[in-house]
Amino acid sequence: MDRIEQFASPAGAAGTVSDVGAVIERMRALRSDWPPGDGVAVFNQVYLTVTETLGRHLTDGVFPDREAVSTLDVRFAERYLAAVDTAGSGGCPPACWRPLFQFRRHPGVRPVQFALAGINAHIGHDLALAVVDTCRTLGCAPVDLEEEFDRVGDLLVLLEEQIREDLMPGPDLLEVADPLTHLAGAWSLERAREASWSAARMLWRLRGVPPLAEEFRTRMDAGAGLVGRFLLTPFR
């Protein structure tokens, strides 16, 4: 077997999109559906900002292999959009996403926590699967995507600092004693991306052994969900 049937890209789901422009349109539509304080809306806005930036770079020629970056971005976004559609229809999204949907209206959770929990779910589970999806779509292996994967990662790391600055409350001097500062600082996008790349390579190697691949994916999903729950610890 040359593919991983159990967690194939959610084709046919309401969240499926065809290109980066369609991803942006769908996220903008979701933004209009939710109130600004909604936890999923907070993450959606962060994701929309990142995707709009990536879309501009695609047209500016920053990425030499535009097809690979575009395909990876779309396959990646499908995972989030499918989780939104599943939760919206009363279904059960992957474990990595459940804390964000469960706590999205909790008054004691701050915006930066919602943003980090969504990023954690998407990077900690969905990204590795999106790499495998992209490899199947383009007929390549993960090693062929590594350079573009790293270029996208560099963009995300630059945006992460801006996200923290925009969403972290209060003056810097006061934040030193704020437990939220320690919670947010304990999670690293760079480390999460490194783990996701290793997971993608492992899933690719396991593609001919579906039971082991699914067990690996399930444990990865559960682990991301546990981290997400900690990130959403209420502060009042």
Side-chain angles (χ1 to χ4, degrees), residues 25-142:
E25 290 179 7
R26 182 81 204 286
M27 290 180 186
R28 287 174 177 169
L30 290 173
R31 179 177 59 184
S32 66
D33 291 340
W34 298 323
D38 181 283
V40 183
V42 171
F43 169 72
N44 187 79
Q45 182 57 49
V46 169
Y47 198 3
L48 174 59
T49 299
V50 171
T51 306
E52 288 174 335
T53 302
L54 185 142
R56 289 193 295 271
H57 286 333
L58 279 172
T59 59
D60 292 344
V62 172
F63 302 113
D65 192 342
R66 293 178 56 188
E67 181 183 18
V69 173
S70 179
T71 303
L72 178 59
D73 183 74
V74 171
R75 297 285 86 82
F76 191 28
E78 282 178 342
R79 298 279 172 182
Y80 160 63
L81 296 174
V84 168
D85 291 333
T86 298
S89 64
C92 186
C96 60
W97 286 108
R98 288 173 207 161
L100 182 59
F101 286 104
Q102 290 170 353
F103 284 81
R104 64 191 298 177
R105 296 180 179 88
H106 197 296
V109 179
R110 302 183 191 179
V112 70
Q113 293 175 261
F114 290 129
L116 291 178
I119 296 170
N120 167 73
H122 210 29
I123 300 292
H125 174 260
D126 296 350
L127 182 55
L129 304 186
V131 170
V132 174
D133 292 338
T134 301
C135 288
R136 294 210 319 266
T137 299
L138 299 179
C140 64

Side-chain angles (χ1 to χ4, degrees), residues 143-214:
V143 66
D144 301 314
L145 298 176
E146 187 169 9
E147 187 173 344
E148 300 307 321
F149 181 94
D150 288 340
R151 283 197 175 93
V152 173
D154 292 340
L155 170 63
L156 294 176
V157 170
L158 289 174
L159 289 172
E160 181 191 22
E161 186 61 33
Q162 180 180 344
I163 290 166
R164 290 177 186 268
E165 290 180 0
D166 290 345
L167 296 179
M168 286 289 285
D172 291 342
L173 291 177
L174 296 180
E175 288 176 10
V176 173
D178 192 329
L180 179 59
T181 302
H182 300 284
L183 180 68
W187 189 86
S188 166
L189 174 61
E190 186 174 359
R191 298 287 86 78
R193 283 186 59 261
E194 290 174 354
S196 183
W197 180 250
S198 295
R201 294 175 60 198
M202 179 61 72
L203 287 169
W204 186 251
R205 287 180 174 272
L206 291 175
R207 68 191 185 281
V209 192
L212 289 180
E214 175 59 14

